[in-house]
Amino acid sequence: MNNPNAAPNFRNFAIVAAVMTLLSLFYFQNTSAPQSDQLPYSAFVTAVDQGEIRSVTIQGQHVVAERSADGKVETYVPQGADLIAQLQQKGVVIKAEPPPQPSLLGSLLLSLLPFALMIGIVIWLSRRAMGQQGGGGLLSMGKSKAKLL
């Protein structure tokens, strides 16, 4: 038996699957990086003083450091802290990088997604109402089929 509704149902399923795939890609985009230990700033300064830190990468106020032993640690440097001078005194290799910028495509898609969903829901409701009312429209009043005697 041929089902005339099979094509629209498949199309709706494909659209939902594509949207879910895009959302999951955006969500899991940054989770693939290897995780490092979070360290309070005071403990990080102590580790620098004791010579446990070999190199650091600074991105704004976020610092990722490699220990002399295996492992990486992360910390957040408070505003106004004079960490650079202390790192230079201890002979730590310092790399500075700009803070990560969000991708233009991702920002654009996330800003347009609510509007696209609202428009899609309105179109879907309109088509569904037209199908149920025999082409009458979403808010139109249908004619009564009962005859007055």
Side-chain angles (χ1 to χ4, degrees), residues 95-110:
K95 292 183 254 178
E97 296 180 359
Q101 299 292 324
S103 75
L104 180 62
L105 179 62
S107 299
L108 185 63
L109 285 177
L110 287 177

Side-chain angles (χ1 to χ4, degrees), residues 65-89:
E66 288 186 37
R67 290 185 169 174
S68 298
D70 290 336
K72 288 187 175 187
V73 293
E74 292 183 30
T75 191
Y76 182 80
V77 180
Q79 192 75 20
D82 192 24
L83 180 65
I84 303 294
Q86 187 177 8
L87 292 171
Q88 287 175 337
Q89 284 178 348

Side-chain angles (χ1 to χ4, degrees), residues 3-42:
N3 187 356
N5 294 330
N9 287 340
F10 178 73
R11 183 184 62 202
N12 291 343
F13 176 74
I15 290 171
V16 168
V19 168
M20 295 300 289
T21 302
L22 284 174
L23 289 176
S24 64
L25 285 175
F26 286 127
Y27 181 75
F28 293 113
Q29 181 178 10
N30 292 331
T31 59
S32 62
Q35 298 295 324
S36 57
D37 296 333
Q38 286 290 108
L39 200 63
Y41 179 71
S42 58

Side-chain angles (χ1 to χ4, degrees), residues 40 49 53 93 106 113 120 143 148:
D49 285 338
I53 304 298
V93 177
L113 185 64
K143 291 182 180 179
L148 296 173

Side-chain angles (χ1 to χ4, degrees), residues 110-147:
L110 287 177
S111 64
L112 293 178
L113 185 64
F115 298 111
L117 284 174
M118 286 188 278
I119 291 170
I121 288 171
V122 168
I123 291 172
W124 178 72
L125 286 174
S126 176
R127 287 185 178 176
R128 181 176 169 157
M130 288 174 72
Q132 288 179 350
Q133 294 180 0
L138 182 60
L139 299 174
S140 67
M141 303 299 272
K143 291 182 180 179
S144 174
K145 295 191 181 214
K147 292 185 178 182

